[in-house]
Amino acid sequence: MTFITRPATPADSNDIARLVNIAVEGMPMAFWSDQSINGQDPFEVGIQRCAQGDTATSYMRTNLAELDGSIVGMILTYDLKDIPQEMDDVHSMFRPMIQ
């Protein structure tokens, strides 16, 4: 059995979205549902957000753990300076968690 960790890439966005949604017990999917337009699948919104460099769930903030070539976990990092001081632009669902 081979275990490795590695930086994520945009190609990992599907796995990142899936693991983020599991870790935060569906809150991301609810947020992505609010962000979807014209019947777009909320999970696709999540994948697109993970593929970007400037989102909270960006691949650029993520390291993945692989066991025998399969993704089995991840670490998603945040800089404390990224925590908003004002909550006006933060989705109401996330405010209690940030506070």
Side-chain angles (χ1 to χ4, degrees):
M1 294 184 8
T2 304
F3 179 81
I4 65 164
T5 59
R6 64 171 177 81
T9 69
D12 297 311
S13 296
N14 185 304
D15 291 311
I16 296 167
R18 181 176 52 84
L19 291 171
V20 164
N21 195 55
I22 291 168
V24 193
E25 299 183 352
M27 288 175 69
M29 187 66 76
F31 175 74
W32 299 332
S33 293
D34 288 348
Q35 302 298 307
S36 66
I37 54 173
N38 299 325
Q40 184 181 21
D41 180 353
F43 192 70
E44 288 298 320
V45 173
I47 292 169
Q48 290 171 2
R49 291 183 60 82
C50 292
Q52 297 172 358
D54 61 346
T55 65
T57 56
S58 170
Y59 75 93
M60 294 178 70
R61 299 173 178 263
T62 307
N63 282 297
L64 296 172
E66 290 185 0
L67 181 63
D68 293 334
S70 295
I71 294 173
V72 294
M74 72 174 200
I75 298 171
L76 181 66
T77 61
Y78 299 95
D79 289 333
L80 290 179
K81 67 181 180 196
D82 292 344
I83 297 174
Q85 299 301 310
E86 299 295 324
M87 295 290 176
D88 297 338
D89 294 334
V90 175
H91 192 283
S92 61
M93 175 180 11
F94 299 111
R95 289 180 189 160
M97 190 168 51
I98 292 171
Q99 291 172 334

